Amino acid sequence: MAKGGKLIIFSAPSGSGKTTIVRYLLEQPDLNLAFSVSATSRPQRGKEKHGEHYYFMTVSEFKKHIKNDDFLEWEEVYRDNFYGTLKSEVERLWADGKNVIFDIDVVGGLRIKKKFPEKTLAVFVKPPSVDELKIRLKKRSTESEDKINMRVAKASVELATAPQFDRIIKNYDLDTALKEAHSMVKEYISTPETP
C-alpha cells in the first residue's frame, strides 16, 4: 500500500460513545481527518446510506473481496455478519492527503495497528460500566433484546483488550472525553513518524 498520512483508530464495545467521539473529531479542521467507511454484509438500518455509513455488500460479495485480498482487515463479527476495511478506501483517503480515522471493533483495530505500528494511534473508549452500556444500547431502540444481550456479552471480552491499545479514554462524561480525544489526536498527528 502507498505511504500516506497517519491512522487513528477508535475501538470500543457498542454503546461506549466511540461514534460520537469520531464524529466530533471529524468536524475539527485542525486535525485534517477523513473517515474510513467500513464494508459490511449486514443489512442497512434506518437512514444509513451506502458509501457514507458503510459499503453494504451481500455475504457472497464480501467473501469474494476476502478471496481477492482486498481488505486491510476483516472479521465475521456474528454468523454471516462481516465487517472489514477495504485497502482501496484507505489509499483513496491518503491520496487526498488526509489522516484516516476509524470507528472499528477491537479486533479490526488491533489488526490495523499491527500492520502499521509506526503510523497508527489506537484508542480504546471505555464506558462507565457494562450496565451503563446496556442502558445506552436500549435507548438506541435499533435492536432486539437478544441482539443487545449479545453485544453486552461481547463487551466484557472487548473490555479485556483495552490494555493492548496505545491510549484509553474513559467516557464517563462526554465533554471531557471529547476534549481528551481532540488533544490526544492533535498531539499524535503533529509528532513526526519514527522510521
Side-chain angles (χ1 to χ4, degrees):
M1 285 184 58
K3 186 166 167 47
K6 294 200 176 174
L7 304 174
I8 317 293
I9 291 163
F10 276 83
S11 295
S14 290
S16 299
K18 72 177 182 308
T19 303
T20 303
I21 293 171
V22 167
R23 281 191 191 131
Y24 168 80
L25 293 172
L26 281 163
E27 291 168 4
Q28 310 310 308
D30 59 325
L31 301 178
N32 188 32
L33 296 173
F35 183 66
S36 171
V37 177
S38 296
T40 185
S41 65
R42 77 153 171 79
Q44 284 176 246
R45 289 187 204 133
K47 295 179 178 166
E48 289 178 332
K49 291 186 182 80
H50 178 78
E52 184 182 326
H53 299 96
Y54 285 99
Y55 293 113
F56 293 98
M57 303 176 179
T58 63
V59 172
S60 61
E61 284 174 321
F62 202 102
K63 286 180 176 175
K64 192 175 171 189
H65 280 292
I66 292 170
K67 199 174 159 194
N68 294 338
D69 193 30
D70 294 335
F71 289 108
L72 196 52
E73 61 76 33
W74 63 271
E75 186 191 4
E76 188 173 13
V77 179
Y78 303 106
R79 185 175 163 72
D80 280 342
N81 201 330
F82 292 90
Y83 288 85
T85 304
L86 290 160
K87 291 175 183 174
S88 58
E89 175 72 356
V90 174
E91 286 172 344
R92 178 181 70 80
L93 299 173
W94 275 348
D96 284 348
K98 296 288 188 181
N99 295 303
V100 183
I101 192 165
F102 300 82
D103 172 349
I104 192 171
D105 75 296
V106 295
V107 175
L110 292 170
R111 281 190 187 137
I112 291 172
K113 172 75 183 171
K114 198 175 271 184
K115 281 189 179 165
F116 298 100
E118 74 294 340
K119 62 186 317 124
T120 303
L121 174 68
V123 182
F124 188 92
V125 181
K126 208 171 187 177
S129 67
V130 173
D131 289 341
E132 175 63 23
L133 261 193
K134 195 166 187 173
I135 291 164
R136 289 178 185 180
L137 289 169
K138 282 184 173 176
K139 276 186 189 164
R140 280 186 188 174
S141 307
T142 55
E143 295 176 319
S144 68
E145 187 71 26
D146 278 354
K147 257 289 198 319
I148 289 171
N149 289 334
M150 268 169 57
R151 289 193 184 277
V152 169
K154 192 171 183 249
S156 304
V157 176
E158 290 172 325
L159 286 165
T161 67
Q164 297 174 54
F165 285 77
D166 300 316
R167 305 289 288 274
I168 296 172
I169 290 178
K170 293 176 179 153
N171 187 11
Y172 301 173
D173 172 72
L174 185 59
D175 285 341
T176 306
L178 294 176
K179 285 187 186 101
E180 195 181 335
H182 184 265
S183 64
M184 197 181 281
V185 171
K186 182 138 181 85
E187 180 190 330
Y188 184 73
I189 59 174
S190 56
T191 308
E193 274 179 44
T194 48

